[in-house]
Amino acid sequence: MMTPDAHELKSLQKQIARLERQKHDLQKKVNWFEEQFRLLRHKQYGPSSERFEGQQAMFNEVEEALEADAEAQEETPDTEQITYQRKKPVRRPLSKDLPRQREVHDIPEEEKQCDCCGGELHVIGEDISEKLDIVPARATVIEHVRLKYGCRGCETGVKTAPVPASPIPKSIATPGLLAWITVSKYGDALPLYRQVSILKRMDVEISRATLANWMLRTAQLLEPLYEALKEQLLKQPAIMADETTVQVLKEEDREATATSYMWLYRNASHSQPVIIYEYQKGRGSEHPLTFLQDYRGYLQCDGYSAYKKLAKLQPGITLVGCMAHARRKFKEAYDSLPENKQLATSKPGQILTLIRKLYAIEQRVRDKPPTEKCLSRQNDARPVMDKMKAWLEKQAPKITPKSKLGEAIRYMQNQWVYLERYLDSGLVDIDNNASERAIKPFVMGRKGWLFSDTAAGARSSAILYSLVETAKQNGHEPYAWLRHVLAILPSMPKGSDVTGLLPMNIEPQSLRYSH
């Protein structure tokens, strides 16, 4: 029979065990709050770049740098002092495509005699220095004079020269004006109300409503080009996708505060880029399923569940993950550590170092053919990925799931089957960053104009953003290309083949500064 002392001791032991559990749980909460505090402080006061402090290049190898330092120490005697010479900044030469105005500076006539013998001086050469000047935009009125002819005999037969084809019939807008307004808004993020002010300074009074209507009409005219771009995109073996929010005030059966989405698709190839924006009311998988309904190939994207559902509904699509998204979560875990952290010894830093190796391999094969790129990934990158997978499996049971590191590990493990697929093909990238860069102009522009008034306006914006960004990515000065296209399209019969006008089918040099 248990004595009173033994019963009391057992009760105290249970109480101690319960308090230890409470202490452990509270410590986990404290650790979580401290982690969140450090991360928020870093986001508010730290650098916004995902690079590490003092890092020259994002994917420099830590081991290579240490080895290089060790070799340098072995080869350099202790008595020899290492000196470094800083490179002087070199001014970049001005483009040869820029128009040039020659201004000749001569010495006075009375000084054109030799100070030594008094003989007449003659030109033996010239020194040329270049200065850059900017001429502000200037509005010009083009008068279209249509000559009329009449018959002196019957005085009834009158003939008049035909009206030139115009992008917007019965409008004062020329191809140059429409191109300037379009590129200013969709290329340079300049809202229409600011353009109204700029035009007013040029003594041109045009209302914001008129400019908005012109953009709608311009998008309608350019829609065949947009559809031709979509056809080009769907023929590509690999496509990237991303999406971002947009607010539309006046849409049927929806409140003004409802959230809509602008989807983005682009080819994974960096030669002849094709960028397509598409407006949709929501973010469900039915939207990319409709856009990619007949597509067969790779689709590279982030970890959003709608893409996984899309891949299940359409077996012809092979989903590829984004290493940059996985890396970003480990970078957050690294930033949430105390300030005395070390990249090589911290757990998030160990994964970040392995990811650096993967990107270093990608840099080496960046310009290689797909077959050679795939071979390098199999030989060099796959062992790194295997090492990373083993690390995840070892650390996952030890890390608190709700911590930043736990979240990063869980995300990478859930995405692993998609993340490693880039190893099997040279047609895709290691990450989805190209699509994120392509959607950024829309995100930056949204900060200026905030929302679209109507759904028709949002669809017009999708068309114009697609064409302007595709032109830019193919090396065009977007104003020159757009002006060229808007001058030709109005005179083309309806249903004509417009593929010859696409940015990748026109040499940028043939249009540059043609205006």
Side-chain angles (χ1 to χ4, degrees):
M1 186 173 179
M2 189 176 293
T3 65
D5 289 343
H7 179 77
E8 185 178 356
L9 179 62
K10 187 174 182 180
S11 176
L12 289 172
Q13 288 175 341
K14 287 182 179 179
Q15 187 176 358
I16 291 172
R18 179 172 55 82
L19 291 174
E20 285 292 338
R21 288 194 300 271
Q22 289 181 356
K23 177 186 174 183
H24 179 70
D25 292 340
L26 289 172
Q27 186 60 50
K28 286 170 61 177
K29 288 183 179 181
V30 169
N31 293 340
W32 186 85
F33 280 115
E34 286 181 344
E35 186 180 65
Q36 294 297 315
F37 171 74
R38 287 192 293 265
L39 183 59
L40 288 173
R41 185 174 58 181
H42 176 83
K43 287 182 177 180
Q44 185 169 3
Y45 301 110
S48 59
S49 171
E50 293 185 3
R51 296 187 178 195
F52 293 103
E53 294 180 8
Q55 186 178 332
Q56 294 293 327
M58 183 175 179
F59 309 117
N60 282 348
E61 293 281 5
V62 174
E63 295 84 356
E64 290 178 359
L66 292 174
E67 289 171 4
D69 288 343
E71 290 174 2
Q73 290 176 5
E74 290 174 359
E75 296 173 1
T76 306
D78 295 338
T79 57
E80 183 179 348
Q81 185 177 1
I82 302 175
T83 59
Y84 298 94
Q85 184 176 1
R86 184 183 296 275
K87 283 188 176 181
K88 293 183 179 180
V90 179
R91 180 187 297 166
R92 293 183 180 179
L94 297 174
S95 171
K96 297 297 182 183
D97 295 322
L98 287 170
R100 278 165 167 75
Q101 177 180 326
R102 184 178 172 89
E103 294 184 3
V104 179
H105 305 280
D106 201 356
I107 60 177
E109 288 294 330
E110 59 271 15
E111 295 182 13
K112 292 182 179 180
Q113 291 183 345
C114 179
D115 295 334
C116 179
C117 66
E120 185 178 354
L121 299 179
H122 63 280
V123 177
I124 61 172
E126 57 185 20
D127 292 328
I128 300 176
S129 61
E130 294 186 331
K131 306 286 185 181
L132 185 63
D133 190 23
I134 294 290
V135 178
R138 181 179 60 188
T140 302
V141 177
I142 300 176
E143 295 182 346
H144 289 273
V145 181
R146 301 164 57 205
L147 297 179
K148 300 173 67 175
Y149 290 84
C151 177
R152 290 191 177 93
C154 62
E155 297 183 356
T156 57
V158 178
K159 293 183 178 180
T160 307
V163 179
S166 176
I168 302 177
K170 299 181 180 179
S171 168
I172 64 171
T174 62
L177 177 58
L178 294 176
W180 182 77
I181 296 169
T182 302
V183 173
S184 294
K185 178 175 181 181
Y186 300 101
D188 301 326
L190 197 62
L192 293 182
Y193 74 89
R194 294 183 187 170
Q195 296 191 51
V196 170
S197 301
I198 294 172
L199 288 169
K200 194 172 182 179
R201 295 201 301 267
M202 301 180 195
D203 293 329
V204 178
E205 295 277 355
I206 301 178
S207 69
R208 182 181 176 184
T210 300
L211 296 185
N213 181 57
W214 284 355
M215 291 297 94
L216 290 172
R217 300 287 295 276
T218 301
Q220 291 171 5
L221 179 63
L222 294 171
E223 191 168 1
L225 280 172
Y226 176 77
E227 295 298 329
L229 272 182
K230 285 175 65 174
E231 291 181 13
Q232 293 271 348
L233 180 67
L234 295 175
K235 294 177 183 177
Q236 302 295 318
I239 293 177
M240 297 178 171
D242 202 0
E243 75 288 331
T244 189
T245 59
V246 62
Q247 187 178 358
V248 178
L249 298 184
K250 301 172 186 175
E251 192 163 20
E252 188 176 356
D253 299 329
R254 301 191 81 196
E255 295 183 358
T257 55
T259 301
S260 301
Y261 284 85
M262 189 67 77
W263 292 74
L264 179 131
Y265 306 92
R266 66 151 292 163
N267 55 335
S269 172
H270 296 281
S271 62
Q272 297 189 342
V274 179
I275 297 171
I276 293 291
Y277 290 82
E278 186 187 49
Y279 169 74
Q280 293 292 352
K281 293 181 179 180
R283 202 188 177 199
S285 59
E286 66 272 14
H287 303 302
L289 182 62
T290 301
F291 186 91
L292 301 168
Q293 55 184 339
D294 298 322
Y295 180 69
R296 297 291 182 272
Y298 292 101
L299 178 64
Q300 192 161 26
C301 51
D302 55 27
Y304 179 41
S305 59
Y307 296 116
K308 295 180 182 178
K309 187 176 180 181
L310 165 68
K312 290 180 180 178
L313 294 173
Q314 192 164 330
I317 291 179
T318 302
L319 217 58
V320 182
C322 174
M323 187 64 71
H325 278 78
R327 179 191 182 277
R328 196 168 296 150
K329 293 187 179 298
F330 281 96
K331 179 62 167 58
E332 287 185 355
Y334 180 80
D335 292 337
S336 67
L337 296 176
E339 293 182 357
N340 59 350
K341 60 199 171 191
Q342 295 293 328
L343 180 65
T345 56
S346 65
K347 289 183 178 180
Q350 292 169 10
I351 283 290
L352 291 172
T353 302
L354 292 175
I355 294 176
R356 279 186 182 183
K357 291 184 177 181
L358 295 176
Y359 275 95
I361 295 168
E362 289 303 300
Q363 281 188 324
R364 291 199 297 267
V365 300
R366 180 181 179 89
D367 300 321
K368 302 294 183 182
T371 52
E372 189 174 340
K373 188 181 293 186
C374 181
L375 183 62
S376 179
R377 288 172 175 175
Q378 290 291 333
N379 294 335
D380 302 330
R382 186 169 288 281
V384 180
M385 291 288 286
D386 291 342
K387 188 175 181 180
M388 193 183 302
K389 185 177 182 181
W391 187 95
L392 293 171
E393 292 174 350
K394 180 181 178 181
Q395 297 296 332
K398 305 177 183 179
I399 305 300
T400 305
K402 290 186 178 181
S403 67
K404 280 296 174 183
L405 181 57
E407 291 176 0
I409 291 174
R410 187 169 65 253
Y411 177 86
M412 182 171 273
Q413 286 185 319
N414 292 339
Q415 293 293 312
W416 188 259
V417 65
Y418 308 110
L419 290 174
E420 66 177 354
R421 277 183 181 161
Y422 91 97
L423 300 172
D424 300 323
S425 174
L427 297 172
V428 296
D429 284 351
I430 188 174
D431 57 38
N432 198 38
N433 282 350
S435 67
E436 291 193 353
R437 289 192 297 269
I439 207 170
K440 194 171 183 178
F442 177 84
V443 175
M444 298 300 293
R446 185 181 58 197
K447 292 181 179 180
W449 44 260
L450 301 179
F451 48 77
S452 291
D453 191 46
T454 63
R459 295 188 186 96
S460 297
S461 295
I463 292 173
L464 297 175
Y465 268 115
S466 300
L467 296 173
V468 169
E469 287 304 313
T470 300
K472 286 164 60 178
Q473 292 300 316
N474 280 274
H476 283 282
E477 199 289 302
Y479 168 81
W481 174 80
L482 200 54
R483 176 173 178 159
H484 172 76
V485 168
L486 290 174
I488 294 176
L489 272 180
S491 59
M492 295 179 67
K494 191 174 182 179
S496 298
D497 182 11
V498 296
T499 54
L501 295 176
L502 294 178
M504 63 285 302
N505 296 329
I506 300 178
E507 287 294 330
Q509 291 78 8
S510 64
L511 302 179
R512 191 164 291 166
Y513 304 109
S514 60
H515 55 285

